[in-house]
Amino acid sequence: MKKIEEYAEQAEESFNNHVDNIPDGDIPLLPDETSIKVAEFNEKQATDILKEAHITPENPNYKKYLGLTEANVHTWRRFSTYDNTVREMLIETLSNPEMTIEQYQEATKRFRVDQIELQQLNASGSTFNGTVDESYPALMLNEDAAVQEGIKIRKRLGTTYPSVFYEEGSSLPNRRVIAVIEDESAYGIVDAYAAKHSTNGLKLVVEVDNEGKEFVKITDAQGRVQSPGSFFNGRINEIDNFLGKSELDFTDEELFNCLEKGDYDGFMELRKTRGKNRNKTNLAMRNLLNQRKDLFNEVCEVYRKAGGDPEKFMQGIQKLKERYAHNVEVIAAETNYGALAKPKGKIDRVMFSVRPADLAQQSTFQNWKSCMNAAGLNHRYVKETIGRGSIIAYGYSSENPAQMVSRILINPYENEKGEIIYRANRAMYGQPNSAFRKTVEQLVEQEFNNPEAQGIFRRNPYLYPDGDPGCIFKIRNKGVLTIKRGEVFDFEGVKYPKDWRLTIEGDCTIKNLKEMPKTLTCAKGSNIFFENCVNLTNIDLSQCESVTIRENCNLKGTKLPKYVVFENVDISGLDLSQCEHVTISGGCNLKGTKLPKYVVFDNVDISGLDLSQCEHVTISGDCN
């Protein structure tokens, strides 16, 4: 059996957390006795270990042995997995008659440091900071500094948080908020489906790549191995083929009796007999269910729920297809090039916190690293997240509440009135999990955001964006959004209200506009830059002085101003003859385009174009 110093070298990376048993509920609050329960567990385990090692309360150093053993148990619970192997290792270490209390104390210190540094070494991700010192002392020094500086910023600014983070009568936001997550992660979906149909020969298999990473695949009764996405896509394609072939003959009692009873063997015998007799009755249904026992059972469930009603049955088949499509969508959101990684642990709880230590450890002493690590390139932003109102959300399993699995940072956005709304960061660190993200985003809206607040909300420039937009907008139905001169407005991820209106007061940049407002009003003489706005159809921009349109913009029926710049936009079939000057660059499709008098082409394929109606043409770059 390995001693403490040796065993530390082989520990798995894990996460530092203070949560123990979490109660169920929609948004249960962390009970005050949680830390007491953690201490009680550690004390009981340590007491039993000392008893097995024959160290009794009569030993003059018993309290020291007890405290150190509690610390070791807690280290294992926080940074790895506490099990019987660990317990036996501690017993063997303490049973050594030559082990003095001083040696045990030093071993405990080294053990903790080794565990933390090993976790840092093996954690996924990167600090993006080269060969910077990642030793335990350096990490602790930087983390403690971030906590102290963050608290100073809080006090100086008088930063406040949603009321749910405050205990009654307290001015300190020390309460953690816990919520239950319905397991709709990619792995949860695949695992549940395989378990449901395990008697049908369906099972999960794990394959290991060259880097030792484990990926999940599905094997059916015929031994075919597929990625989960391909498996469900195959079911969708089969249903599409069935729906597109022919109508069902619901007078076919033989077939529908098989569905009613869930008699797969009877169905396969019926299919075989009809094949021999060249009987094509309900051939499309027979082909759908052939050699797909899981799909057969799903269709049987649909048939029984429909109660023999043909219309309800077909609607149920369509819903089954939609459920498979949803599975594919969730899997796609969590997979890397189609490969679904085996999770290190499930996530069925989320913890929200604004405690300085919880925010400081968002990427430190965890099983993942990022540039916000205590040795990371952007660690300087951590003190700002502590001081300027950010919230951290951690995902974990109720079966192992001592180990966090994923995290999402939630940053505040403020409008001109001083109203604050929160937005879950696009980046998720740790294990990808769609259900975790969905729950976080839902609770941010339900519990933290004021439904009456509206307008343009800007992220504090001191906070690290990590890909998030600098401003977002939130308006009620029939509300008006006004974009002022000089603003850059990114609509990525926004929810468009009904009958909203947009007013542009001057020069600005608009990105990722996916749905047009009911009305769009542009100030005369404005210069507007549109990027990746897929729907600019049937709007009037003629009052603008100039417009720049870039990437994936649909311009059908759009009234354009005198001066227009197109970059990588499909402008085929557009009538630009009413414009005075147009610049066209990049991969623009010009088929059937009517050009104005003055045109500039820059790196565009203009082969075959009739430019005879143009008075002045400038060609630069690599034009064909």
Side-chain angles (χ1 to χ4, degrees):
M1 188 69 67
K2 297 182 178 67
K3 298 295 186 288
I4 266 184
E5 298 92 330
E6 301 171 301
Y7 206 95
E9 297 177 2
Q10 298 187 16
E12 298 285 339
E13 75 272 10
S14 59
F15 173 58
N16 168 20
N17 181 47
H18 310 286
V19 182
D20 189 37
N21 296 320
I22 306 300
D24 289 334
D26 289 337
I27 306 185
L29 301 179
L30 186 71
D32 293 335
E33 66 269 19
T34 298
S35 59
I36 297 175
K37 289 182 178 180
V38 172
E40 287 175 349
F41 178 91
N42 295 341
E43 183 180 10
K44 184 180 185 308
Q45 292 297 314
T47 301
D48 291 344
I49 288 168
L50 293 182
K51 183 178 179 181
E52 291 286 334
H54 304 293
I55 298 177
T56 65
E58 287 72 30
N59 188 308
N61 291 316
Y62 181 81
K63 287 187 177 180
K64 290 184 178 180
Y65 277 116
L66 181 64
L68 292 170
T69 305
E70 286 178 10
N72 284 325
V73 170
H74 194 59
T75 295
W76 277 103
R77 296 190 76 202
R78 292 176 62 185
F79 295 95
S80 189
T81 302
Y82 180 78
D83 54 19
N84 284 332
T85 303
V86 176
R87 187 175 180 277
E88 292 298 323
M89 180 271 296
L90 290 171
I91 292 171
E92 182 174 343
T93 299
L94 288 164
S95 297
N96 183 354
E98 297 181 2
M99 170 73 76
T100 66
I101 187 64
E102 291 77 19
Q103 289 173 331
Y104 187 49
Q105 186 172 11
E106 286 303 312
T108 298
K109 291 179 181 178
R110 291 196 304 273
F111 168 62
R112 176 178 172 80
V113 172
D114 289 345
Q115 285 284 76
I116 291 174
E117 292 186 346
L118 183 63
Q119 178 211 46
Q120 180 76 7
L121 178 65
N122 293 331
S124 63
S126 171
T127 64
F128 300 96
N129 209 15
T131 57
V132 69
D133 187 0
E134 296 185 26
S135 66
Y136 172 74
L139 294 176
M140 284 302 303
L141 183 66
N142 290 341
E143 184 194 323
D144 287 345
V147 169
Q148 296 305 318
E149 289 299 318
I151 291 173
K152 289 179 182 178
I153 295 172
R154 275 192 189 183
K155 291 180 178 179
R156 186 178 78 249
L157 299 179
T159 305
T160 59
Y161 297 87
S163 60
V164 71
F165 290 108
Y166 295 86
E167 297 285 358
E168 185 175 352
S170 175
S171 61
L172 296 177
N174 284 333
R175 174 182 283 176
R176 292 188 178 108
V177 179
I178 311 299
V180 175
I181 300 174
E182 295 296 331
D183 189 7
E184 202 184 28
S185 65
Y187 182 82
I189 288 171
V190 176
D191 185 47
Y193 191 87
K196 179 180 179 181
H197 296 289
S198 60
T199 57
N200 304 328
L202 214 62
K203 62 180 180 180
L204 296 186
V205 294
V206 176
E207 295 185 352
V208 182
D209 67 6
N210 295 332
E211 298 179 357
K213 295 180 180 178
E214 296 181 324
F215 295 95
V216 176
K217 293 193 175 182
I218 295 180
T219 301
D220 62 18
Q222 286 69 44
R224 292 172 294 206
V225 180
Q226 295 176 282
S227 69
S230 297
F231 174 85
F232 286 116
N233 265 320
R235 297 299 184 263
I236 293 170
N237 292 335
E238 295 299 334
I239 292 176
D240 277 337
N241 289 336
F242 162 70
L243 294 175
K245 291 291 183 181
S246 62
E247 294 184 2
L248 276 177
D249 179 359
F250 279 91
T251 64
D252 186 354
E253 293 186 4
E254 287 183 300
L255 175 61
F256 287 103
N257 280 339
C258 292
L259 296 184
E260 180 66 36
K261 297 175 182 178
D263 184 2
Y264 182 73
D265 291 336
F267 163 75
M268 291 302 292
E269 186 62 31
L270 175 65
R271 184 180 182 279
K272 182 179 179 181
T273 301
R274 289 187 178 180
K276 287 182 178 179
N277 297 331
R278 299 180 183 274
N279 183 342
K280 295 186 178 182
T281 304
N282 285 326
L283 178 61
M285 172 66 82
R286 285 151 43 196
N287 288 338
L288 171 67
L289 305 179
N290 180 38
Q291 301 296 322
R292 300 175 185 89
K293 198 171 181 180
D294 64 289
L295 186 54
F296 174 84
N297 287 333
E298 293 286 342
V299 172
C300 288
E301 287 183 14
V302 170
Y303 181 74
R304 286 191 287 265
K305 287 180 181 179
D309 185 306
E311 184 176 351
K312 289 183 179 179
F313 176 74
M314 297 305 291
Q315 290 173 351
I317 295 295
Q318 182 64 37
K319 288 181 180 179
L320 176 61
K321 173 192 167 183
E322 292 169 1
R323 179 152 56 88
Y324 286 144
H326 172 72
N327 293 352
V328 170
E329 182 180 347
V330 173
I331 291 167
E334 296 186 25
T335 54
N336 182 19
Y337 302 108
L340 176 60
K342 182 182 179 182
K344 296 180 180 179
K346 74 174 185 179
I347 300 177
D348 62 7
R349 295 289 188 274
V350 55
M351 178 187 77
F352 297 91
S353 176
V354 297
R355 293 185 182 184
D358 291 338
L359 284 159
Q361 294 181 7
Q362 59 189 269
S363 287
T364 304
F365 305 142
Q366 316 237 18
N367 59 1
W368 65 85
K369 292 185 285 191
S370 76
C371 63
M372 301 286 265
N373 180 274
L377 180 64
N378 290 315
H379 183 254
R380 65 187 182 278
Y381 287 102
V382 170
K383 65 183 179 184
E384 307 296 345
T385 66
I386 295 171
R388 298 180 186 272
S390 297
I391 301 168
I392 191 74
Y394 288 113
Y396 63 96
S397 168
S398 59
E399 296 174 0
N400 186 15
Q403 185 178 64
M404 296 293 102
V405 180
S406 298
R407 71 93 162 158
I408 295 174
L409 189 64
I410 302 161
N411 282 329
Y413 285 70
E414 186 174 354
N415 67 7
E416 293 179 347
K417 300 176 184 178
E419 297 173 316
I420 293 176
I421 64 172
Y422 296 87
R423 186 182 193 277
N425 202 289
R426 291 176 185 170
M428 180 192 307
Y429 293 91
Q431 183 175 296
N433 188 291
S434 298
F436 171 51
R437 171 169 290 284
K438 180 180 178 181
T439 302
V440 169
E441 291 177 346
Q442 180 178 345
L443 290 174
V444 165
E445 286 299 319
Q446 290 181 359
E447 302 298 327
F448 304 155
N449 286 347
N450 177 5
E452 298 300 314
Q454 65 172 349
I456 297 179
F457 294 82
R458 292 174 175 80
R459 186 189 65 252
N460 190 302
Y462 288 93
L463 296 176
Y464 182 58
D466 211 1
D468 277 0
C471 63
I472 56 178
F473 90 97
K474 182 180 179 184
I475 55 177
R476 295 187 294 271
N477 287 348
K478 299 185 180 180
V480 179
L481 174 67
T482 301
I483 299 180
K484 295 183 177 180
R485 182 182 297 274
E487 290 185 338
V488 177
F489 202 90
D490 191 345
F491 284 82
E492 180 66 31
V494 304
K495 295 180 179 179
Y496 298 91
K498 184 180 180 181
D499 294 337
W500 69 288
R501 291 167 288 170
L502 176 60
T503 298
I504 299 174
E505 293 186 344
D507 301 357
C508 67
T509 298
I510 298 176
K511 300 180 179 181
N512 298 303
L513 180 64
K514 300 296 190 294
E515 295 183 20
M516 289 305 299
K518 186 175 182 180
T519 61
L520 186 152
T521 304
C522 301
K524 188 174 182 179
S526 300
N527 299 289
I528 305 176
F529 185 103
F530 289 100
E531 181 175 341
N532 199 31
C533 298
V534 298
N535 188 5
L536 295 178
T537 60
N538 300 313
I539 62 171
D540 187 356
L541 301 174
S542 59
Q543 297 299 309
C544 300
E545 178 68 18
S546 69
V547 170
T548 298
I549 301 172
R550 173 188 289 175
E551 305 285 355
N552 303 322
C553 295
N554 186 349
L555 301 169
K556 185 178 180 180
T558 301
K559 294 183 179 180
L560 297 168
K562 295 180 180 179
Y563 303 97
V564 187
V565 176
F566 295 106
E567 298 179 14
N568 296 308
V569 181
D570 183 358
I571 57 175
S572 59
L574 286 186
D575 183 359
L576 304 179
S577 59
Q578 302 303 312
C579 302
E580 290 188 8
H581 190 287
V582 171
T583 298
I584 302 171
S585 65
C588 293
N589 185 353
L590 300 170
K591 185 177 180 180
T593 303
K594 294 183 179 180
L595 298 170
K597 295 180 180 179
Y598 299 92
V599 187
V600 175
F601 295 107
D602 183 14
N603 291 303
V604 182
D605 183 1
I606 58 175
S607 59
L609 281 185
D610 182 2
L611 306 179
S612 60
Q613 302 300 314
C614 302
E615 294 184 5
H616 188 279
V617 174
T618 300
I619 299 175
S620 63
D622 186 12
C623 293
N624 187 356

